[in-house]
Amino acid sequence: QVKLVESGGGTVQAGGSLRLSCAASGFPFRRYCTAWFRQVPGKERERVADIVVGGDITRYSDSVKGRFAISRDNANYMLYLQMNSLTPEDTAIYYCATGDCARGEGYVYYGQGTQVNVSS
C-alpha cells in the first residue's frame, strides 16, 4: 500500500526558508517518479517541482524556479523540497506525489499534505 507522509510545514516570514520532507513506503520508491504539488483553497492543484527516478533531472514551475529545490534519497525512501525566498504567494498546502510514470500511470498517489504559511 502506497503511503506518503509530509512534514516540515509551518509559518515563516517573507524571505525565509523551509524544508519539506516526504517519507515514502509501500512501493518501489526508486522506480517511481515523484513531485511536489501545492493547493490554495478555491484554486486548482499546482505542480511546483518534479524529479526523475535517478534524481538527476528536475523541473520547476515558473513561480518557484530559482527559489525551490527538489531532491530525493532513494536509499531512504525520502523526497525533499527546499524552499527559499518565500513570499506570501507561496502560502498553500503542499503535497508530495508519486506514480509509476514509466508505465504511464502519472501522479496518482498523494500524501495528506503539510500547511505552509508565509506572512508579509
Side-chain angles (χ1 to χ4, degrees), residues 10-18 86 116-120:
T11 299
V12 63
Q13 286 191 328
S17 298
L18 282 175
L86 287 161
V116 171
N117 295 309
V118 184
S119 61
S120 57

PDB file of all heavy atoms in Angstrom, residues 10-18 86 116-120:
ATOM      1  N   GLY A  10       4.883  24.912   8.176  1.00  0.00           N
ATOM      2  CA  GLY A  10       4.790  25.812   9.317  1.00  0.00           C
ATOM      3  C   GLY A  10       4.588  27.237   8.848  1.00  0.00           C
ATOM      4  O   GLY A  10       4.223  27.477   7.689  1.00  0.00           O
ATOM      5  N   THR A  11       4.838  28.166   9.754  1.00  0.00           N
ATOM      6  CA  THR A  11       4.686  29.587   9.465  1.00  0.00           C
ATOM      7  C   THR A  11       6.050  30.258   9.449  1.00  0.00           C
ATOM      8  O   THR A  11       6.858  30.038  10.358  1.00  0.00           O
ATOM      9  CB  THR A  11       3.782  30.265  10.501  1.00  0.00           C
ATOM     10  OG1 THR A  11       2.484  29.657  10.466  1.00  0.00           O
ATOM     11  CG2 THR A  11       3.639  31.743  10.196  1.00  0.00           C
ATOM     12  N   VAL A  12       6.287  31.039   8.424  1.00  0.00           N
ATOM     13  CA  VAL A  12       7.575  31.713   8.275  1.00  0.00           C
ATOM     14  C   VAL A  12       7.319  33.107   7.699  1.00  0.00           C
ATOM     15  O   VAL A  12       6.325  33.321   7.001  1.00  0.00           O
ATOM     16  CB  VAL A  12       8.500  30.888   7.355  1.00  0.00           C
ATOM     17  CG1 VAL A  12       7.931  30.776   5.952  1.00  0.00           C
ATOM     18  CG2 VAL A  12       9.908  31.431   7.347  1.00  0.00           C
ATOM     19  N   GLN A  13       8.210  34.026   7.991  1.00  0.00           N
ATOM     20  CA  GLN A  13       8.095  35.368   7.435  1.00  0.00           C
ATOM     21  C   GLN A  13       8.587  35.395   5.987  1.00  0.00           C
ATOM     22  O   GLN A  13       9.420  34.564   5.586  1.00  0.00           O
ATOM     23  CB  GLN A  13       8.898  36.355   8.266  1.00  0.00           C
ATOM     24  CG  GLN A  13       8.254  36.685   9.609  1.00  0.00           C
ATOM     25  CD  GLN A  13       8.921  37.854  10.293  1.00  0.00           C
ATOM     26  OE1 GLN A  13      10.127  38.061  10.147  1.00  0.00           O
ATOM     27  NE2 GLN A  13       8.147  38.617  11.044  1.00  0.00           N
ATOM     28  N   ALA A  14       8.083  36.348   5.236  1.00  0.00           N
ATOM     29  CA  ALA A  14       8.526  36.514   3.857  1.00  0.00           C
ATOM     30  C   ALA A  14      10.048  36.665   3.815  1.00  0.00           C
ATOM     31  O   ALA A  14      10.638  37.341   4.662  1.00  0.00           O
ATOM     32  CB  ALA A  14       7.855  37.733   3.238  1.00  0.00           C
ATOM     33  N   GLY A  15      10.643  35.983   2.838  1.00  0.00           N
ATOM     34  CA  GLY A  15      12.097  35.972   2.725  1.00  0.00           C
ATOM     35  C   GLY A  15      12.757  34.803   3.420  1.00  0.00           C
ATOM     36  O   GLY A  15      13.951  34.551   3.225  1.00  0.00           O
ATOM     37  N   GLY A  16      11.992  34.093   4.224  1.00  0.00           N
ATOM     38  CA  GLY A  16      12.533  32.963   4.964  1.00  0.00           C
ATOM     39  C   GLY A  16      12.562  31.687   4.152  1.00  0.00           C
ATOM     40  O   GLY A  16      12.248  31.671   2.960  1.00  0.00           O
ATOM     41  N   SER A  17      12.940  30.605   4.835  1.00  0.00           N
ATOM     42  CA  SER A  17      13.098  29.303   4.187  1.00  0.00           C
ATOM     43  C   SER A  17      12.413  28.211   4.994  1.00  0.00           C
ATOM     44  O   SER A  17      12.280  28.324   6.214  1.00  0.00           O
ATOM     45  CB  SER A  17      14.584  28.956   4.045  1.00  0.00           C
ATOM     46  OG  SER A  17      15.262  29.891   3.240  1.00  0.00           O
ATOM     47  N   LEU A  18      12.019  27.170   4.305  1.00  0.00           N
ATOM     48  CA  LEU A  18      11.503  25.951   4.923  1.00  0.00           C
ATOM     49  C   LEU A  18      11.985  24.766   4.094  1.00  0.00           C
ATOM     50  O   LEU A  18      12.189  24.898   2.879  1.00  0.00           O
ATOM     51  CB  LEU A  18       9.971  25.938   4.958  1.00  0.00           C
ATOM     52  CG  LEU A  18       9.249  26.766   6.007  1.00  0.00           C
ATOM     53  CD1 LEU A  18       7.750  26.709   5.773  1.00  0.00           C
ATOM     54  CD2 LEU A  18       9.582  26.281   7.414  1.00  0.00           C
ATOM     55  N   LEU A  86      10.865  32.773   0.420  1.00  0.00           N
ATOM     56  CA  LEU A  86       9.421  32.564   0.406  1.00  0.00           C
ATOM     57  C   LEU A  86       8.661  33.893   0.392  1.00  0.00           C
ATOM     58  O   LEU A  86       9.106  34.890   0.983  1.00  0.00           O
ATOM     59  CB  LEU A  86       8.996  31.736   1.601  1.00  0.00           C
ATOM     60  CG  LEU A  86       9.370  30.244   1.502  1.00  0.00           C
ATOM     61  CD1 LEU A  86       9.342  29.579   2.871  1.00  0.00           C
ATOM     62  CD2 LEU A  86       8.434  29.527   0.539  1.00  0.00           C
ATOM     63  N   VAL A 116       1.838  25.336   4.649  1.00  0.00           N
ATOM     64  CA  VAL A 116       2.892  26.350   4.666  1.00  0.00           C
ATOM     65  C   VAL A 116       2.229  27.722   4.652  1.00  0.00           C
ATOM     66  O   VAL A 116       1.404  28.008   3.772  1.00  0.00           O
ATOM     67  CB  VAL A 116       3.831  26.204   3.451  1.00  0.00           C
ATOM     68  CG1 VAL A 116       4.783  27.396   3.357  1.00  0.00           C
ATOM     69  CG2 VAL A 116       4.618  24.902   3.542  1.00  0.00           C
ATOM     70  N   ASN A 117       2.562  28.540   5.636  1.00  0.00           N
ATOM     71  CA  ASN A 117       2.040  29.894   5.731  1.00  0.00           C
ATOM     72  C   ASN A 117       3.208  30.877   5.704  1.00  0.00           C
ATOM     73  O   ASN A 117       4.141  30.739   6.500  1.00  0.00           O
ATOM     74  CB  ASN A 117       1.247  30.105   7.011  1.00  0.00           C
ATOM     75  CG  ASN A 117       0.000  29.264   7.058  1.00  0.00           C
ATOM     76  OD1 ASN A 117      -0.795  29.259   6.127  1.00  0.00           O
ATOM     77  ND2 ASN A 117      -0.199  28.552   8.147  1.00  0.00           N
ATOM     78  N   VAL A 118       3.142  31.835   4.807  1.00  0.00           N
ATOM     79  CA  VAL A 118       4.191  32.850   4.701  1.00  0.00           C
ATOM     80  C   VAL A 118       3.551  34.204   4.993  1.00  0.00           C
ATOM     81  O   VAL A 118       2.647  34.642   4.285  1.00  0.00           O
ATOM     82  CB  VAL A 118       4.847  32.855   3.316  1.00  0.00           C
ATOM     83  CG1 VAL A 118       6.004  33.865   3.289  1.00  0.00           C
ATOM     84  CG2 VAL A 118       5.344  31.467   2.953  1.00  0.00           C
ATOM     85  N   SER A 119       4.031  34.838   6.045  1.00  0.00           N
ATOM     86  CA  SER A 119       3.472  36.129   6.453  1.00  0.00           C
ATOM     87  C   SER A 119       4.302  37.269   5.862  1.00  0.00           C
ATOM     88  O   SER A 119       5.517  37.164   5.696  1.00  0.00           O
ATOM     89  CB  SER A 119       3.438  36.231   7.967  1.00  0.00           C
ATOM     90  OG  SER A 119       4.738  36.129   8.500  1.00  0.00           O
ATOM     91  N   SER A 120       3.630  38.365   5.594  1.00  0.00           N
ATOM     92  CA  SER A 120       4.327  39.522   4.991  1.00  0.00           C
ATOM     93  C   SER A 120       4.905  40.437   6.054  1.00  0.00           C
ATOM     94  O   SER A 120       4.631  40.292   7.239  1.00  0.00           O
ATOM     95  CB  SER A 120       3.361  40.303   4.108  1.00  0.00           C
ATOM     96  OG  SER A 120       2.245  40.711   4.868  1.00  0.00           O
TER      97      SER A 120
END
